[in-house]
Each structure stands twice: as C-alpha cells, then as structure tokens.
Amino acid sequence: MRVLYVISEADPFIKTGGLGEVGGSFPLALKKNGVEVRVILPMYSKIALELKEKAALLASFKVPLGWRRQYCGLQELIHRDVHYYLIDNEYYFSRPRVYGEYDDAERFGFFNRAVLESIHRFSNFKPDILHCNDWHTALIPVMLKEFYSSDLLFINIRTLLTIHNLNYQGIYPWEIYFDVLGLPEAGLCYQRFSFKDVINFLKAGILYADRITTVSPTYASEIQHPYYGEELECILTAKKDLLTGILNGIDYERYNPQTDPYIYNRYGSYAQKLQNKPKLQKDLGLPVRPEAPLLAVISRLVPQKGLDLLVHIMPQIMAMDVQMAVLGDGEAQYENSFRYYAGLNLDKMSFIDYYDEALAHKFYAAADMVLVPSRYEPCGLTQMIAMRYGAIPIVRETGGLKDSVIPFNKFTGAGNGFSFANYNAHELLYTVQNAVGVFREKSSRWETLAENAMRSDFSWERSAKLYIDLYTALLEQLS
Ligand code: ADP
C-alpha cells in the first residue's frame, strides 16, 4: 500500500498550527504500521536551512497552469525515516507568510498541479492513494479526473480528502477557475466549483474525492447540519456514505512529560507534576501558591475557540481564589480583553500574547486545568496534550472535544475531564466552579482524575489503523 500524503504544512518543515502537527506525526504512525508513505509539501523559504540543505534535486520541469508554464524543482530528502518531497518555486513560496498572500489561489493551484506532475518523476514509487488535506490540496482529486484521466500511470490512483477545518474553504472569483486553473467552461466541473457567484476549492474537492474524512466522529456528523456546516452541509449530507470521522492522535514522543526538554521538572506521575506549578507561577510573576488552582488557556485567539464565553465570565473567575495564565495570539478583541483583566488582577492573572512552543509545554506541565470552550472544534489537540500532562481539560462538548474528554463522574470517579453542552458562558462558569470544587476537596479524587487523564490513549496508533482500514477499502474497490 503506497500513499502519497499531500499537505500544505508538516512539522518540522513548517507549522502554523494543528495541521502542521498532524502533517508531522501522522505519516510516522502510518510508516510504523507498514504503509509505504511519502509526504509532499511546498518548499517555503521559511523552512529551516538545515532541512533545505539536506534535500537533493530529483527533477526540474514546467507545470501547466492555465496559459502559464511555471518552473518546479522537485526536491527530496529522508527525515526521521520518512521520505519527503518538496515543491520548489521561489516565486510562489519565497514569501513572508505561508497563507494570506494575495495570490493564494494561484500558489496552491500551482502546488496541486505540481504534485500531480511530480508523480511521473518519482523513482521507485507509484502511489496507490493520494491523501489530500484541506482546501490547499483539494484540487488534486479534481485535476486528477479533469487532466489525467487518460494517463495510464494515474488510472488506478484513488483520492482521499481529509477536512481538518471546514471554516477554511478556498473561496475565489471565477477568473481563478478559467485563467489560473484552466478548467472546462461548462458541465459537471463548472457546477461542482460553483458556490453562490464564486468558486469553492473545498466544495469541488469533496465532490471529486473518492473518500472524505474529517478529524473526529462527532465533527463528521455535526458538519451535516447548518450550524456547523459552513454552508456545505447539503453536499456533506449527500456524501455522508463516503464521509468518515477519525480522531487525530498526538505525537507521544514530542508530548512526553518524562522526556520533555522544555518543562521545568520531568515527570511520570501526578505527584511529580506538582513541582512544575510553583516554577511557572514564579516565571509569570504570580504569587507562588500551590494550593491555588491554575487555569490555563493555550490557544489561537479567534472566535472558533469560544473565548467570548470566557471573557464574559472573567469578573466571576477573578473573584474566585484561582490563578489564570493565558498564552495566545490572534484577534485584538480577545488580546485586549485578556490584557485588561491581567492588568486589573496582577496577583491572579498573566497574559502572554505571542506564540511560544517552549512556554506552551511549561503551561501544560504546570496547569491544573486547561480551558477549551470552543464554539466548534474539528478535533483539537490542546485537550489531548493537556491530558497527557495531567492537566484537566474543561471543554465544550463539540467535535473532537466531545470524542476525547469523558466527563468526570463524581460517583464512580471515572472520566478524564469536565465538559458542558451548550454555548453558554454560565455553563462554562458552573463547570469551572465544579472543577475547582473537586480540586479543593481533601480527598484523592483530583489525583485519580489526573492519573486517568495521563493514562488516556491519544497516540496515533489507533487512528493510523482506522486510516489503513479506509485505504484498504478504497483499494478493494479496484479489485
Ligand atoms: P488549532 O489547530 O485550531 O489552533 P489545535 O488544538 O488542534 O487547534 O492545535 C493547537 C496547537 O497549537 C496546540 O499544540 C497548542 O498547544 C498550540 N498553540 C496554540 N497557541 C499557542 C501559543 N500561543 N503558543 C504555543 N503554542 C500554541
């Protein structure tokens, strides 16, 4: 089984968020489970020099893109035992940002076509499956059928498209369809791209792919409803027999409190974890008080993350005997609110307004609770990382949060976190109060909860096996 995993970011090459983390760890898990997987991504100028220098040029050729013929350098390297291909084109990928450039449609249109053109140039590797991810690669199933259907090399290749976040769809004007992509003027293709009076890359990808997955079973069913469907709920419902939800895993080597180089004190038990909290409190300028529950937020500050709920109840939270540490950057409305409350409560709250990987690990190791009250959450890695570090997640029951957090049962002691159902600030407040109440009990219930969380299994192993089953089913259709 040979899989070409196509993704716009993969750690350690490039990572802007959860997608890059998945791109870094999922292929490793496939490989461990016997899949011959290779990864292909753009060669952004931001990729570290030592990785770029390890890469060797395999081929150079011209990629058709509408009337254009654009240069492509196909580079390859082996890293951590995985075979990577990098698509090199300075004009498209030597930019300050990975996304958000004025010509993203053309940049990723080029990337998609270049991937397909590259398959001819691979040595000793003919993929059976092209596993695509999000709108940045959603044109691959389209181009495969529209441009390569008579090419013998491609005839038995199957496509799978994973939706990591339905909110990002790649919506562009029609001139991209004609001028950049050079797709047919009428017919099925035209209809499949059409979205109101513009085009939608993800919509077309969903309609062309042989199978669709998303990153949790709950999200797979949520997106068939208007509240979560981002206006694609009808086509997702129509495709529901081809749509599967598989929960992501996390990289258990990177997130391992026993070996983590970033944290203050490494640990394998809840009792040892406790040494981390005073050190973070000191570093953040908070009073060193082991008995005060430390609530952490480690998040992009965007509406998806449900921070409106938190901001709404900040006065009540600050009135409790707790400490709060927020690490996140994003929209000014949230940054300003957290800055305001941190300024008002110097002895209770700290706000760090940038992205800092090492500090994030320290937060997970030190925190008692991690808040993830998302409005929607396709999978969410934050709550899984928190659990691995014995920090108890407090989440809203949506998407992958619902599929990974088992609410604490005060009668049996079972569970690994706390959760609430409705998008309502006072439900969040009640749940925080409830968690703080259990934390303060003079019993060992909190320790049991933390140990449960640390023992929960969110390794890639289980998810990789489910993907392999899907790949197998796809290939069986051929025989
Ligand atoms: P999303 O991909 O929607 O941002 P996920 O929960 O899937 O959400 O992944 C977020 C990842 O980014 C987690 O590993 C989290 O620890 C990390 N992260 C978020 N904000 C920051 C930050 N300011 N500094 C460091 N890491 C962060």
Side-chain angles (χ1 to χ4, degrees):
M1 186 184 288
R2 289 170 300 257
V3 176
L4 182 65
Y5 192 67
V6 194
I7 192 156
S8 63
E9 44 182 297
D11 184 70
F13 294 87
I14 190 92
K15 177 180 125 176
T16 70
L19 184 67
E21 239 169 88
V22 172
S25 50
F26 175 63
L28 279 173
L30 284 181
K31 182 128 202 282
K32 274 194 203 134
N33 284 280
V35 177
E36 199 183 333
V37 57
R38 299 193 179 183
V39 182
I40 188 161
L41 70 153
M43 188 156 169
Y44 303 105
S45 52
K46 290 180 89 174
I47 293 175
L49 197 61
E50 71 253 29
L51 284 171
K52 282 196 277 200
E53 280 176 353
K54 261 175 82 180
L57 185 70
L58 176 64
S60 62
F61 48 90
K62 289 277 158 70
V63 173
L65 201 62
W67 49 266
R68 301 161 189 76
R69 298 287 174 272
Q70 301 291 45
Y71 168 85
C72 173
L74 177 63
Q75 305 266 351
E76 66 177 344
L77 77 156
I78 312 279
H79 181 73
R80 269 177 95 186
D81 224 19
V82 175
H83 200 124
Y84 290 90
Y85 295 107
L86 300 171
I87 296 289
D88 184 23
N89 175 302
E90 291 260 324
Y91 170 64
Y92 289 126
F93 301 125
S94 188
R95 303 284 181 92
R97 289 177 297 191
V98 174
Y99 314 114
E101 296 289 318
Y102 75 96
D103 56 349
D104 277 0
E106 185 177 326
R107 294 170 69 225
F108 289 102
F110 165 79
F111 172 58
N112 285 219
R113 191 77 198 259
V115 167
L116 290 165
E117 288 291 313
S118 296
I119 293 173
H120 278 292
R121 275 90 182 173
F122 293 160
S123 42
N124 307 322
F125 184 70
K126 180 195 169 297
D128 302 305
I129 290 172
L130 305 180
H131 186 159
C132 309
N133 294 278
D134 275 353
W135 75 265
H136 328 103
T137 59
L139 298 180
I140 287 181
V142 179
M143 291 173 166
L144 186 69
K145 293 222 169 70
E146 294 296 332
F147 297 135
Y148 298 90
S149 57
S150 57
D151 187 327
L152 285 180
L153 184 70
F154 293 90
I155 221 135
N156 283 332
I157 294 185
R158 291 289 173 262
T159 55
L160 187 153
L161 174 63
T162 297
I163 303 168
H164 295 259
N165 192 334
L166 195 62
N167 187 33
Y168 305 100
Q169 299 181 2
I171 293 173
Y172 295 105
W174 274 105
E175 65 199 76
I176 298 292
Y177 179 90
F178 295 113
D179 184 72
V180 175
L181 305 179
L183 286 163
E185 283 191 17
L188 202 57
C189 183
Y190 185 93
Q191 287 164 22
R192 286 176 167 180
F193 269 88
S194 173
F195 182 73
K196 300 175 188 168
D197 52 357
V198 286
I199 62 165
N200 185 322
F201 282 24
L202 190 68
K203 177 183 175 231
I206 291 169
L207 292 170
Y208 273 90
D210 295 310
R211 290 298 286 253
I212 308 134
T213 68
T214 185
V215 289
S216 69
T218 296
Y219 192 60
S221 80
E222 284 174 342
I223 56 178
Q224 296 176 39
H225 299 276
Y227 184 80
Y228 296 98
E230 306 286 352
E231 302 187 73
L232 294 182
E233 62 276 6
C234 293
I235 64 151
L236 288 162
T237 307
K239 287 269 163 187
K240 68 170 189 278
D241 294 341
L242 299 178
L243 171 66
T244 316
I246 300 177
L247 198 67
N248 283 336
I250 54 170
D251 183 339
Y252 265 35
E253 280 172 39
R254 171 198 287 270
Y255 297 111
N256 183 352
Q258 298 192 38
T259 54
D260 192 328
Y262 295 129
I263 64 180
Y264 303 102
N265 284 80
R266 298 188 192 125
Y267 57 96
S269 69
Y270 176 68
Q272 292 168 333
K273 167 186 166 72
L274 298 177
Q275 296 170 348
N276 284 278
K277 183 157 110 181
K279 297 195 170 137
L280 183 68
Q281 287 173 323
K282 187 159 172 281
D283 278 0
L284 295 180
L286 294 168
V288 176
R289 294 186 55 220
E291 72 285 6
L294 178 61
L295 280 57
V297 172
I298 303 140
S299 181
R300 290 185 295 124
L301 304 183
V302 294
Q304 174 196 340
K305 299 296 176 181
L307 301 162
D308 303 282
L309 301 187
L310 185 58
V311 169
H312 195 75
I313 56 166
M314 277 309 286
Q316 287 95 321
I317 296 220
M318 289 292 102
M320 294 163 70
D321 183 20
V322 299
Q323 290 184 357
M324 182 145 194
V326 178
L327 172 63
D329 60 345
E331 292 187 14
Q333 50 167 328
Y334 304 114
E335 290 196 0
N336 291 340
S337 298
F338 288 129
R339 206 167 283 128
Y340 169 77
Y341 285 109
L344 217 56
N345 302 277
L346 293 174
D347 58 340
K348 282 195 166 167
M349 177 164 173
S350 169
F351 172 47
I352 312 281
D353 61 358
Y354 48 82
Y355 187 95
D356 185 330
E357 174 116 32
L359 194 55
H361 285 237
K362 291 186 175 67
F363 269 51
Y364 287 115
D368 296 304
M369 301 161 207
V370 173
L371 307 185
V372 196
S374 304
R375 185 187 288 275
Y376 70 93
E377 195 62 73
C379 173
L381 303 177
T382 313
Q383 80 283 9
M384 298 187 198
I385 304 169
M387 286 188 259
R388 177 94 166 125
Y389 284 78
I392 300 304
I394 297 181
V395 306
R396 190 170 94 77
E397 290 158 16
T398 181
L401 298 172
K402 187 170 179 187
D403 294 335
S404 57
V405 175
I406 305 163
F408 174 63
N409 181 322
K410 65 181 176 185
F411 302 108
T412 64
N416 54 19
F418 292 86
S419 64
F420 61 101
N422 297 302
Y423 196 74
N424 177 308
H426 288 92
E427 277 197 36
L428 170 61
L429 179 61
Y430 169 74
T431 311
V432 170
Q433 287 168 342
N434 191 13
V436 168
V438 177
F439 180 85
R440 288 203 193 289
E441 279 177 8
K442 294 214 168 4
S443 70
S444 57
R445 291 213 296 179
W446 189 267
E447 182 165 355
T448 308
L449 185 58
E451 295 281 355
N452 286 350
M454 289 173 80
R455 273 196 307 273
S456 306
D457 181 10
F458 299 112
S459 64
W460 269 110
E461 200 61 23
R462 202 169 25 100
S463 322
K465 292 211 164 87
L466 293 172
Y467 273 104
I468 292 170
D469 289 346
L470 257 190
Y471 297 154
T472 310
L474 258 179
L475 295 180
E476 273 168 3
Q477 287 171 359
L478 292 173
S479 51

